[in-house]
Amino acid sequence: MTDTTQQLHKGVNLTAVVALGLGTAVGVAIFSVIAPATALAGPAMLLAVLVAAAPMFVIAVTYAFMGSALPTSGASFEWSRRFIHPFVGFLIAWLRIVSNVGAILVLALVAVRYLSMVVPLPTKPTMFAGFVLFFLANYFGVALAARLQVILMGALIVLFFVFAAWGAPHIEPAHFEPLLPQGTAGMLAAVPLLIGLFFGIEAATEIGDEVKDGRKTIPLGIALSIGSAVVLYLMVAVVALGVLGAEALAASETPLLDAAQPFMGPIAKPLIVTAAVVAIGKSLNSLYLGFSRSLFAMARAGMLPSALARVHPKYGTPHIALWTILGGATLGLLAPMNLTSLFLAVNIPTLLKYAATSISAVVVVRKHPEIYAAARFKLSPRATIGWAYAGAAAALVIAVLGFQADWMPYAALGVWALIGIAYYMATHRKSA
């Protein structure tokens, strides 16, 4: 069977856009990061969640504008390539190949660890089974992948509300005092940990060609996603803190499980494990969607082998790109897995992507008034530029701060970047 078209099928509605944004953002972090954040800030961890949402809100406004002005698949690559420079778009997307493979490995590894708390499982074979499952969900059409995302997101929301409603009567008001035991400095120190809670809120922009009425649906979906994420995180964090107290929560390695056990008893472990696996599963599903469209867009632009731009004639999906992701994730199983390094390798290219998209928005306003005019969501030109510069600055500052935690991922990404530069130069010379 040969490919006869390069048109991706439109099968993503508003509900799926929200589920994709929440599905990427509400992943493994909520099950772990509130503990170290509480160690730094005490009960002010709750305030730190709101502060951490602020830079992502700024970035989300820029993504909503760009998504409504020029919806396209592989958007972060396409916008940077078109409005900054083809090489910038290539390099950002090239670095995100490592980022996306690393994210798939992290999520699969943590999912298996949670499942193994209930049923002992072989780590790497189970991870591979997960890779295949989400490959199949994405291979047979974007509508199937989007439907799966909605189902998983709905299940997670139900589980979070069960946790919150069951735990609310057991909250001790004294556990919220003093609110700022480490002062404002402690609260601010927790922000870099918590900002990762909101990464991926813009995920639907990466499949812009497949979103129905993307100019309207994408910005509305982003707004609903970030608002819903803040509510879910605060709801869960308030119960965990109110039940355990700051000291116990800060010392916990499985904070939501430890918070649930006093009021759920033996039901706590299967329920929290189920919630964690569902959260991770929808993050994996979102990753397959966005990553495959990024490879598709790069190949469509002639920056990767053209085979990656092939679209399945029946299912309308970039099937060669999906096979490539499955192969890359499988090869990744051969590498040693250090979660701290992997998290940084995931976050750094993501932050660079945010900065590049923000600069692209500035170029659109200044040099492409017809695209700005076509946007369904936009601020005034001056305000759009101000928001974009603020988002770029926030992303770059946070990326630099991560160097203090571990320099090795920066070095590894530097080597990968050099390989990408050599590839770009070689292929560019051939096409020149």
Side-chain angles (χ1 to χ4, degrees):
M1 182 179 292
T2 59
D3 294 296
T4 60
T5 180
Q6 290 193 353
Q7 296 297 315
L8 297 170
H9 291 181
K10 290 186 181 294
V12 180
N13 58 19
L14 177 61
T15 303
V17 167
V18 175
L20 284 169
L22 279 176
T24 307
V26 184
V28 66
I30 187 60
F31 294 90
S32 57
V33 77
I34 60 173
T38 303
L40 291 169
M45 172 268 295
L46 300 175
L47 299 178
V49 170
L50 294 174
V51 176
M56 283 307 302
F57 175 74
V58 173
I59 292 168
V61 168
T62 299
Y63 265 91
F65 161 65
M66 291 295 289
S68 73
L70 195 69
T72 183
S73 290
S76 296
F77 161 74
E78 287 288 353
W79 296 334
S80 300
R81 177 188 70 85
R82 178 171 174 180
F83 300 119
I84 303 177
H85 191 278
F87 174 71
V88 174
F90 168 82
L91 189 58
I92 295 293
W94 179 264
L95 289 173
R96 291 191 65 233
I97 292 174
V98 171
S99 171
N100 286 320
V101 171
I104 289 171
L105 291 170
V106 166
L107 290 167
L109 176 61
V110 175
V112 173
R113 288 180 177 177
Y114 266 95
L115 284 171
S116 295
M117 294 170 65
V118 179
V119 180
L121 294 168
T123 300
K124 292 189 176 181
T126 308
M127 289 173 69
F128 175 73
F131 299 159
V132 173
L133 173 64
F134 288 101
F135 163 81
L136 293 174
N138 282 268
Y139 187 89
F140 293 110
V142 70
L144 174 61
R147 195 176 304 119
L148 175 63
Q149 195 72 5
V150 171
I151 292 170
L152 291 174
M153 190 67 243
L156 183 65
I157 290 173
V158 169
L159 291 168
F160 276 171
F161 270 98
V162 169
F163 171 83
W166 201 337
H170 300 269
I171 291 174
E172 295 287 342
H175 287 163
F176 299 95
E177 300 175 354
L179 180 62
L180 291 162
Q182 308 300 327
T184 303
M187 186 271 289
L188 292 176
V191 170
L193 286 176
L194 294 168
I195 195 170
L197 292 171
F198 300 97
F199 282 175
I201 212 77
E202 78 301 331
T205 60
E206 301 299 336
I207 58 167
D209 284 347
E210 297 157 277
V211 177
K212 299 174 182 177
D213 192 10
R215 293 180 186 274
K216 176 183 177 182
T217 303
I218 288 174
L220 181 57
I222 290 174
L224 292 172
S225 295
I226 195 166
S228 301
V230 171
V231 170
L232 285 174
Y233 289 144
L234 286 177
M235 180 179 71
V236 170
V238 164
V239 171
L241 180 63
V243 171
L244 283 182
E247 186 175 346
L249 183 60
S252 175
E253 293 185 358
T254 54
L256 298 192
L257 177 57
D258 289 344
Q261 283 177 333
F263 58 87
M264 287 186 178
I267 298 176
K269 182 177 285 187
L271 189 139
I272 297 302
V273 167
T274 300
V277 171
V278 169
I280 292 166
K282 60 186 183 39
S283 293
L284 275 169
N285 192 52
S286 291
L287 267 170
Y288 266 85
L289 274 167
F291 190 9
S292 59
R293 274 58 179 182
S294 177
L295 295 177
F296 168 85
M298 291 178 75
R300 184 172 59 181
M303 293 185 178
L304 285 179
S306 60
L308 293 169
R310 293 178 184 169
V311 175
H312 197 286
K314 180 178 180 181
Y315 304 118
T317 53
H319 59 120
I320 303 299
L322 287 165
W323 277 110
T324 302
I325 293 169
L326 178 60
T330 303
L331 286 175
L333 293 174
L334 302 176
M337 296 183 192
N338 179 293
L339 282 179
T340 300
S341 296
L342 284 171
F343 270 123
L344 282 171
V346 170
N347 289 348
I348 295 162
T350 301
L351 289 163
L352 293 177
K353 176 192 79 168
Y354 290 158
T357 295
S358 297
I359 298 303
S360 298
V362 173
V363 176
V364 166
V365 174
R366 288 181 171 170
K367 298 184 177 181
H368 300 275
E370 74 287 355
I371 297 177
Y372 171 80
R376 294 283 292 273
F377 169 84
K378 56 179 178 286
L379 306 176
S380 69
R382 181 176 296 180
T384 301
I385 290 173
W387 278 98
Y389 276 135
L396 292 174
V397 167
I398 296 166
V400 171
L401 289 175
F403 190 84
Q404 300 176 19
D406 188 354
W407 62 270
M408 288 296 290
Y410 290 82
L413 285 168
V415 172
W416 180 247
L418 290 175
I419 295 171
I421 292 168
Y423 175 83
Y424 180 87
M425 292 177 64
T427 55
H428 187 71
R429 277 199 298 265
K430 288 179 182 179
S431 60

